[in-house]
Amino acid sequence: MDALSRDFFLFLSKNRGLNYMARRWGKSVASGTIIGGIDFESSIPHIKRLNEKGIQVTVDHLGEFVTDIQVAKERTQECITTIQTIAAEKLDTQVSVKLTSLGLDIDINLVRDHMRDILREATKHEVLVTIDMENESRCQATLDLFTELKQEFKLVGTVIQAYLFRSENDLNDLNEHQPFIRLVKGAYKEEASVAHTEKQDISENFKKLIQKQLETGIYTAVATHDDSMIQYTKQLAEELNIPKDQFEFQMLYGMRAKTQEDLKAEGYNVRIYMPYGDDWYGYFMRRLAEKPSNISFALKGLTKK
């Protein structure tokens, strides 16, 4: 049933007609509930409310798979402007980016130049930028570029997905660079030749990666809404005497707000992944595919006053 639900939501995520309708008519419903807003400015009040509770944020301008150079340039400038606004508003906020939104599918040199422009601005204002991971076919290019940029810039991190077979080896290769890593289960539909497809196998590999990364002593983000995975991380940290300031829990904006506040009250670092922009539909469907039970939390967010 979980596999069928996952495939169903991934199918919906690629439906152009539904995506068009969501962008045209649904953004007013999504804004402030599952996304911060249709632009960064409208997201700022939501970020400030979270910061007042001691909860940190990472923001992401929605949109991916860009094939137009001008659009990639516009997305790059949007990210730079966001970093400048974060500094001006003194927000406790990082930035997440998808390389395909900056031109990865157009030209590797283009996206390299765009990332350097972004990271120069991020360095100036001391804002960490996390390179999101996309589907497996783009994984190696993403990690290669991350590794290259990490030689030049300190404030850059990336993401490792637990459902990919390669992820443990990727962590081994990356850890010599002392990177900031966000660990996630993964939300794209992959072939069985490259990824675990059973829920239990993904969860077990996620646990293995969490332990492996926490034992390095490198600051790590564990991105999950799964109560059992949260509990596992807490117990593991206690058993290994890993201090609470060595890792953080990350969750999606608009989901599990009570859990977020409870974790913060217990002394854990909590960061909320807050996307913004009108291209929210595909993102939302993939989150439901990742964990179909998220739909109950999402619907509560969409219907609350």
Side-chain angles (χ1 to χ4, degrees):
M1 184 60 69
D2 282 344
L4 288 174
S5 297
R6 178 182 174 85
D7 289 347
F8 174 68
F9 286 120
L10 287 173
F11 169 77
L12 291 179
S13 74
K14 299 175 182 178
N15 187 292
R16 292 184 179 181
L18 291 174
N19 204 336
Y20 172 79
M21 287 189 291
R23 292 181 69 172
R24 185 166 184 179
W25 294 295
K27 57 190 177 185
S28 62
V29 177
S31 294
T33 55
I34 60 174
I35 63 173
I38 61 171
D39 54 30
F40 185 65
E41 289 294 332
S42 59
S43 303
I44 291 174
H46 306 297
I47 294 170
K48 287 184 174 180
R49 279 194 287 271
L50 288 168
N51 286 171
E52 288 168 1
K53 297 177 181 179
I55 295 175
Q56 301 164 307
V57 176
T58 185
V59 295
D60 176 19
H61 184 212
L62 290 169
E64 54 198 319
F65 310 129
V66 169
T67 57
D68 183 282
I69 291 176
Q70 184 56 39
V71 174
K73 289 180 178 178
E74 290 170 0
R75 294 291 173 85
T76 301
Q77 185 55 52
E78 166 67 25
C79 191
I80 290 170
T81 301
T82 295
I83 290 169
Q84 293 169 341
T85 305
I86 287 170
E89 296 283 343
K90 296 182 171 54
L91 304 174
D92 193 350
T93 307
Q94 298 174 356
V95 172
S96 294
V97 298
K98 289 182 172 60
L99 292 184
T100 61
S101 75
L102 306 178
L104 179 64
D105 291 348
I106 303 171
D107 181 74
I108 189 65
N109 293 316
L110 177 70
V111 74
R112 180 186 291 111
D113 290 344
H114 285 169
M115 278 301 305
R116 282 182 170 148
D117 289 343
I118 289 168
L119 289 171
R120 278 192 283 268
E121 197 67 27
T123 299
K124 185 188 305 183
H125 297 292
E126 298 185 337
V127 175
L128 187 137
V129 177
T130 298
I131 299 173
D132 280 342
M133 190 58 68
E134 301 178 70
N135 56 7
E136 193 275 339
S137 66
R138 296 172 174 87
C139 183
Q140 190 61 53
T142 299
L143 293 179
D144 287 346
L145 184 56
F146 166 73
T147 302
E148 179 183 342
L149 293 169
K150 193 68 172 69
Q151 313 304 311
E152 188 176 350
F153 299 97
K154 179 181 178 182
L155 294 175
V156 58
T158 193
V159 176
I160 293 294
Q161 299 166 311
Y163 68 172
L164 295 182
F165 296 145
R166 60 177 292 163
S167 292
E168 185 173 5
N169 288 333
D170 286 336
L171 278 183
N172 289 336
D173 292 340
L174 290 174
N175 278 339
E176 67 177 277
H177 305 291
Q178 298 286 297
F180 169 78
I181 297 291
R182 178 197 300 148
L183 298 175
V184 303
K185 283 188 176 180
Y188 292 86
K189 185 172 177 60
E190 304 288 1
E191 297 294 330
S193 59
V194 300
H196 298 287
T197 57
E198 297 297 324
K199 179 180 178 181
Q200 184 61 32
D201 293 336
I202 297 171
S203 293
E204 288 305 313
N205 200 46
F206 198 9
K207 289 179 180 179
K208 182 190 297 185
L209 298 180
I210 292 170
Q211 178 166 353
K212 182 179 186 66
Q213 196 63 12
L214 289 185
E215 286 179 336
T216 66
I218 302 169
Y219 190 85
T220 299
V222 178
T224 182
H225 290 182
D226 189 329
D227 288 328
S228 64
M229 207 62 63
I230 293 170
Q231 189 59 32
Y232 169 80
T233 304
K234 292 163 68 172
Q235 290 179 345
L236 179 67
E238 185 174 349
E239 291 169 5
L240 299 178
N241 293 315
I242 296 170
K244 292 178 180 178
D245 61 2
Q246 189 179 305
F247 63 97
E248 66 184 40
F249 289 106
Q250 289 195 8
M251 293 185 180
L252 303 175
Y253 179 66
M255 301 184 190
R256 306 301 304 271
K258 176 68 163 56
T259 301
Q260 297 162 13
E261 293 178 10
D262 288 346
L263 286 169
K264 183 61 188 176
E266 292 170 18
Y268 294 98
N269 293 325
V270 179
R271 186 176 303 277
I272 304 307
Y273 185 95
M274 181 186 290
Y276 68 93
D278 61 6
D279 194 12
W280 62 274
Y281 172 79
Y283 154 81
F284 185 45
M285 290 298 111
R286 284 196 300 275
R287 298 294 77 77
L288 298 183
E290 188 175 12
K291 188 175 177 58
S293 62
N294 280 344
I295 193 168
S296 63
F297 302 111
L299 290 175
K300 288 178 183 176
L302 288 170
T303 57
K304 70 182 180 181
K305 301 296 184 183

